[in-house]
Amino acid sequence: MVDTYSRIIFVHADNVGSLQFAEVRQALRGKAEMCMGKKTIMRRVVAAKAKTHPELAQILPLLRGNVGLVFTNEDLTEVRDILRANKKEAPAKAGAIAPSDVIVPAGPTPLDPGQTSFFQALSISTKIARGAIEILSDVHLITAGEKVGPSQAALLQNEYSIPAAEAAKAYLANPEAFAVA
């Protein structure tokens, strides 16, 4: 690909599923090619190609984490716009590093009283009011830079609409940590 294309874009690809990769590849068809692989193998290939293309040596230090390479001869802003148009929210996963703080505000939830143990596991104080669980005070659920725990991830992925839904969805929507490009 290095011989065919003159430009390279790096993409961050944590928590990106195979269906999303297929959609991105389809959107790039005819304009660019995306190369994803194991970091070690990608480093070996780039190092081998750097012998004939010395300019590639400078990208070796950038191959850290879950990255991919998009090769193109097109305008970089056009390809970047295609990549950004294919960003999707991804649910928080246990063990992922939180990109931002998530605060669960106080207030009623539509959850039935049988699910209070879920909140107790997260040390969220609740009471039962009118047949539903009510959160008593704002709770700092996740701090930026910390690992997301299994219970926290479950709360953020919970299908029920709790008062913190918008804050939780803002956490999930962070493009740098949870989406392509």
Side-chain angles (χ1 to χ4, degrees):
M1 285 193 214
V2 176
D3 298 326
T4 309
Y5 297 102
S6 61
R7 298 175 178 164
I8 301 173
I9 297 176
F10 284 84
V11 291
H12 185 75
D14 281 343
N15 299 322
V16 180
S18 59
L19 178 62
Q20 187 174 357
F21 275 125
E23 291 170 354
V24 171
R25 283 193 168 104
Q26 184 176 12
L28 291 173
R29 195 167 290 149
K31 294 180 181 27
E33 286 189 51
M34 184 168 32
C35 178
M36 299 296 297
K38 296 280 187 184
K39 179 177 61 174
T40 306
I41 293 171
M42 289 182 68
R43 290 181 70 102
R44 284 185 192 162
V45 170
V46 170
K49 285 290 186 180
K51 293 175 183 171
T52 57
H53 299 283
E55 65 275 10
L56 290 177
Q58 60 187 321
I59 71 169
L60 277 171
L62 302 174
L63 293 174
R64 297 192 184 270
N66 194 6
V67 298
L69 303 175
V70 178
F71 295 89
T72 187
N73 287 326
E74 302 288 324
D75 180 36
L76 292 178
T77 56
E78 181 182 340
V79 175
R80 182 198 63 202
D81 291 343
I82 292 170
L83 292 170
R84 286 186 176 167
N86 282 283
K87 284 183 186 179
K88 292 184 181 178
E89 289 183 353
K93 292 184 180 177
I97 303 298
S100 61
D101 290 355
V102 175
I103 297 173
V104 179
T109 71
L111 301 175
D112 64 83
Q115 297 183 11
T116 55
S117 60
F118 184 73
F119 289 98
Q120 289 172 345
L122 291 168
S123 300
I124 297 174
S125 57
T126 60
K127 70 176 184 178
I128 307 299
R130 295 187 208 122
I133 299 173
E134 184 175 324
I135 299 172
L136 296 176
S137 60
D138 291 356
V139 177
H140 195 143
L141 184 65
I142 301 173
T143 304
E146 289 183 353
K147 283 190 174 184
V148 178
S151 296
Q152 295 165 328
L155 179 62
L156 293 174
Q157 292 174 2
N158 197 333
E159 292 181 30
Y160 297 104
S161 173
I162 60 172
E166 293 309 314
K169 287 182 181 175
Y171 168 81
L172 298 175
N174 184 309
E176 284 74 31
F178 294 96
V180 172

